[in-house]
Every structure is written in C-alpha cells, then in structure tokens.
Amino acid sequence: MLKNLLPILIALPLVGCASSSLNTNNTSPVTSYYDYQLYSSDAQPLSLQQFSTEVKNADVVLVGEWHTHSAVHRFQTDLLKQLVQSERKIALSMEQFARDKQTIVDQYLAGEIGEQPLIKQGNAWPNYESDYRPLIEFAKANQIDVIAANAPRPIVRCIGREGKPYLEKLPANQRDWVAAEINTDNSPYKAKFMQSMHHGEPEQTEKHFAAQMTWDETMAESIVNYLAEHPNHQLMHIAGKFHIEDGLGTKASILRRNPNLNVVVISPAVDLNSLSTDYQLNVLPPPARYVQQENRLKAFQAMGHQRRELKCE
C-alpha cells in the first residue's frame, strides 16, 4: 500500500478511520485480502446490484483506494462490470494515467499498440499489471472510454518543490496538461492535509499542498470536461482514498466547477465510520509499512535524496 499522499514528493501516514461496531448481518466475511463488503453510509450491507440501483442517477462514482490493496482493486473491476449492465453508458476515469498519455491509452484501447508500449510509453504505475490491468482490459473488451485524468508526475513534483509559480514556466501545450485553476485557498481539505503533515517548514508545506491540489483539480477538471461532452454517461473514477473521502478533494473540486453534478463516494475502511457520508468498502487493514524506526528513517532519507536530485527546468 502506498500510504503517502504524494508518493512522488513526501511520505505521509494515512489519516485513520474512526472506529465503530461493524454490522455483520447478511454480509460476506472479510477474511483475506481478496475479500470486501460494501456498506451504505448508515452501515447497511449492500450487494453490487443494490448499489448500482441506488446510484443509477449519479453522474460520478468516486472510488477511493489503498494502492495495491488486492480486495479494493478486485472491487473496482467488479463494480465496473456491474455498472456496465445499466442503461447508461459508462466511462472510466483514472488517477493512474496522466493527461499527456491520453493518446497512448486511446491507442491501446483501439488495439493499435500492445500492452508493453502502454506500460512504458504511458508511464503506467509499477503495479499496473497486478492491479489495473483488469480494469483496462475490461474497458477495452467493452468499448468503455478511459480518461487519463491526472496531471503528469514531473509537473506535480516541481510544483511541490517550487509552488504554483512553476506553472508559469510551462510551455502552452504542457500547461494544458494541468487544470486551468489550482485553488489552494483555505478549506476543510486543506486543514485535513495540513493536520496530516508532521514535519517540514510551513512555506514548503504550502507548496506540497499546491502539488496535492494540482492532482485533485486536474482530475476534477478532466471529469467535468468529459461529462460536458458526454452528458448521458455515468463516470467511475478511481483514485487514492485521501483524494476523495468525505466529499473533500476531488469531489469538492468537481462540484465547484459544476454544482449540478450528482457525485457519490466509496471509501475503503477497516472499521465503519458512523460519521461518514461515504459508501464504505470494508476490507482487511493494509499491513504496517514499517515496524522498526530504523527502516522508516532509511525510507525518508531515500526520498530526501530523490528530491535533491530533482531538477525543474
């Protein structure tokens, strides 16, 4: 699992979920890392069919993930398979591909290139073959549009280092790979982000938040733009849990651009949170990334070395 909010910038622990008693009536047991159980916000178990019926009028279904969690990724593919059975056309939007690679994704879906060019030229995540291949292959087989929704990582890295002014250095064609508006004003999302930061100077932390918002704003703009051109589609978007949970981050950015869109959220959860307004996906907790402090410090030192080597032209 990737616990960092910006795995390319900083290592941060995930904010924990509030605990509550788990409703186990009529549920499937969650005993392995392939198992999951979906719940409504009021802790009622739901089948995928029940969920798809409940959200049939939703324009966007945001699915949060713990990256590399097998059960979450299994759920994503199962959900896409369920949604495609509805009367509405379905599109898939992904954090895991950036806007500048949309042509590569489209070429793969059209059968014009093979998987290796998709992975290498499309800058697919290292866990593509184990975790995202099922989604892409199902989309390809069923002629589902896939939106490469994110901002390119090199740009996000440099914003994390230099702040939003870095955007002024980009040539016009590259500036289009990032949302036109990157809103870093005070918000519940910013407060949550800042609370999760346990180290660093305030000025640098502001730049890290600008990088975080570059992802959220670009994904949101990609989603809104697609639905403006395809108003009858329902769009399923997958992204890290922190980006979407509790209606913050990407959802708030979507609604700021188009408040008329109906957006629902599914967040992975170890224990059900009675205060959440999200649908919750109960799965086993991710394993601890580090137990020994020495190993944790080595990881931070390695990331610091990578940041020092980063050059922003």
Side-chain angles (χ1 to χ4, degrees):
M1 181 201 71
L2 305 179
K3 280 190 174 183
N4 32 313
L5 304 181
L6 292 170
I8 57 177
L9 290 170
I10 46 179
L12 296 174
L14 284 169
V15 179
C17 301
S19 297
S20 64
S21 298
L22 187 65
N23 182 338
T24 57
N25 294 331
N26 301 317
T27 64
S28 300
V30 176
T31 59
S32 82
Y33 277 92
Y34 287 106
D35 300 330
Y36 63 80
Q37 176 61 54
L38 181 63
Y39 289 86
S40 62
S41 59
D42 58 356
Q44 297 303 309
L46 295 172
S47 68
L48 289 178
Q49 184 175 8
Q50 289 172 321
F51 172 78
S52 64
T53 300
E54 284 196 11
V55 302
K56 64 181 181 180
N57 294 322
D59 300 299
V60 182
V61 179
L62 299 177
V63 183
E65 66 174 45
W66 283 314
H67 306 310
T68 76
H69 196 299
S70 299
V72 177
H73 291 299
R74 178 188 175 194
F75 167 77
Q76 291 168 344
T77 303
D78 288 348
L79 177 59
L80 185 61
K81 290 168 63 177
Q82 179 65 47
L83 293 178
V84 82
Q85 297 178 37
S86 69
E87 297 179 358
R88 299 177 67 182
K89 291 185 177 180
I90 302 298
L92 174 65
S93 174
M94 300 181 68
E95 172 191 9
Q96 292 75 22
F97 286 102
R99 282 183 175 180
D100 61 323
K101 304 304 180 184
Q102 183 68 63
T103 298
I104 301 297
V105 173
D106 291 342
Q107 288 176 339
Y108 182 72
L109 295 175
E112 298 172 4
I113 59 174
E115 186 180 65
Q116 283 306 301
L118 170 69
I119 292 172
K120 292 184 178 181
Q121 298 174 29
N123 290 347
W125 285 19
N127 59 322
Y128 172 83
E129 291 172 292
S130 60
D131 296 331
Y132 303 110
R133 174 192 276 164
L135 282 168
I136 293 294
E137 291 305 312
F138 184 79
K140 182 179 181 182
N142 290 273
Q143 298 182 317
I144 296 172
D145 288 346
V146 177
I147 298 96
N150 212 346
R153 288 188 180 190
I155 294 176
V156 177
R157 289 190 187 105
C158 289
I159 293 172
R161 189 167 183 170
E162 299 185 10
K164 286 198 296 183
Y166 176 75
L167 291 170
E168 300 172 6
K169 298 181 180 181
L170 295 176
N173 66 316
Q174 293 185 24
R175 183 61 184 84
D176 290 340
W177 296 341
V178 178
E181 178 190 3
I182 309 296
N183 188 328
T184 57
D185 293 345
N186 290 333
S187 66
Y189 187 58
K190 185 173 186 177
K192 179 182 177 182
F193 181 91
M194 295 302 182
Q195 187 177 13
S196 71
M197 300 289 286
H198 302 297
H199 61 281
E201 297 296 325
E203 181 181 355
Q204 189 59 49
T205 302
E206 286 285 343
K207 294 175 182 177
H208 288 164
F209 181 66
Q212 177 80 3
M213 284 305 300
T214 299
W215 281 15
D216 285 298
E217 296 276 46
T218 303
M219 290 189 290
E221 185 184 80
S222 298
I223 291 167
V224 172
N225 288 350
Y226 180 86
L227 289 177
E229 296 180 7
H230 305 83
N232 296 322
H233 280 59
Q234 184 177 70
L235 189 148
M236 171 179 156
H237 175 73
I238 62 172
K241 176 183 177 180
F242 196 93
H243 288 291
I244 62 95
E245 65 184 342
D246 298 324
L248 305 178
T250 303
K251 179 176 178 178
S253 294
I254 290 171
L255 294 179
R256 194 176 68 250
R257 289 170 169 81
N258 186 345
N260 295 320
L261 291 176
N262 182 355
V263 183
V264 299
V265 175
I266 304 172
S267 294
V270 174
D271 297 308
L272 298 191
N273 181 355
S274 61
L275 301 179
S276 177
T277 59
D278 301 347
Y279 289 88
Q280 297 177 75
L281 186 72
N282 181 227
V283 295
L284 291 182
R289 296 192 73 205
Y290 304 102
V291 174
Q292 298 180 12
Q293 184 65 15
E294 177 184 356
N295 294 331
R296 186 187 301 273
L297 290 175
K298 287 180 179 178
F300 275 108
Q301 290 168 358
M303 295 193 73
H305 178 71
Q306 292 173 358
R307 289 198 297 274
R308 285 193 296 273
E309 291 185 338
L310 173 66
K311 293 182 180 180
C312 300
E313 301 299 334

